[in-house]
């Protein structure tokens, strides 16, 4: 499974730390700021935005106020049938933006983890995530 996390702040690092421990996941991260050293310390590959967009699953872990800007930057560079997932807290806002801006061939899932890096620092087992299927196929 090829996954990219766009945004390597607190939540992006938290997710990357958990995903990197799973088998059969090819994980890369990117950020507006070069965080190559931080990613390397966690054993995760830091790549360019363009390289991250080649993955089948793209997780947007950017601040809410940056979401529209990021979507506008990536919309013409996503040229495959993949899945874009966000982790912003305001679901209607984020889902509407993704649906309006992203190409129609991209599947969209809005998520909201009902926990954060502090409350799940030891484990994510049993933690809940709200899912909003915007345009994902049922079999995905």
């Amino acid at each position: 499974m090829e996954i990219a996390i766009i945004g390597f702040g607190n939540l992006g690092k938290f997710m990357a730390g958990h995903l990197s421990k799973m088998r059969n996941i090819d994980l890369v991260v990117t950020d507006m700021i070069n965080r190559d050293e931080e990613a390397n310390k966690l054993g995760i590959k830091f790549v360019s935005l363009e390289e991250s967009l080649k993955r089948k699953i793209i997780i947007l872990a950017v601040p809410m106020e940056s979401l529209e800007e990021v979507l506008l930057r990536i919309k013409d560079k996503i040229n495959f049938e993949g899945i874009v997932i966000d982790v912003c807290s305001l679901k209607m806002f984020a889902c509407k933006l993704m649906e309006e801006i992203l190409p129609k061939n991209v599947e969209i899932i809005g998520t909201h983890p009902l926990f954060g890096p502090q409350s799940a620092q030891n484990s994510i087992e049993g933690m809940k995530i709200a899912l909003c299927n915007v345009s994902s196929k049922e079999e995905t």
Side-chain angles (χ1 to χ4, degrees):
M1 187 180 319
E2 298 176 329
I3 300 176
I5 298 175
I6 297 176
F8 201 52
N10 287 337
L11 189 55
K13 286 178 196 167
F14 173 75
M15 288 187 304
H18 285 282
L19 289 171
S20 68
K21 296 174 187 171
M22 299 176 75
R23 294 183 303 181
N24 301 324
I25 291 187
D26 177 16
L27 176 68
V28 298
V29 297
T30 192
D31 196 279
M32 299 286 283
I33 300 167
N34 184 335
R35 298 184 188 264
D36 187 47
E37 279 188 40
E38 293 172 71
N40 283 332
K41 285 180 185 175
L42 296 173
I44 300 166
K45 187 174 181 184
F46 187 88
V47 299
S48 68
L49 178 63
E50 289 72 21
E51 182 64 27
S52 72
L53 296 175
K54 295 178 183 176
R55 303 294 187 216
K56 295 291 182 191
I57 299 172
I58 298 168
I59 300 172
L60 301 174
V62 299
M64 180 65 69
E65 60 271 10
S66 302
L67 181 61
E68 184 172 12
E69 176 188 344
V70 170
L71 290 169
L72 291 170
R73 274 185 83 186
I74 69 173
K75 71 179 180 114
D76 295 326
K77 296 175 182 166
I78 298 177
N79 57 5
F80 65 90
E81 292 186 20
I83 300 172
V84 175
I85 300 169
D86 87 297
V87 293
C88 296
S89 56
L90 299 175
K91 287 291 63 108
M92 291 191 68
F93 173 78
C95 290
K96 182 177 183 230
L97 273 181
M98 290 188 295
E99 190 172 34
E100 288 175 357
I101 295 172
L102 292 175
K104 300 303 174 212
N105 63 322
V106 172
E107 295 181 52
I108 300 169
I109 301 173
T111 73
H112 180 65
L114 302 176
F115 56 90
Q118 292 76 25
S119 60
Q121 55 187 310
N122 296 324
S123 173
I124 58 172
E125 187 174 341
M127 298 292 183
K128 298 186 184 312
I129 300 175
L131 301 173
C132 301
N133 184 356
V134 177
S135 65
S136 179
K137 299 172 189 160
E138 285 189 35
E139 66 269 10
T140 299

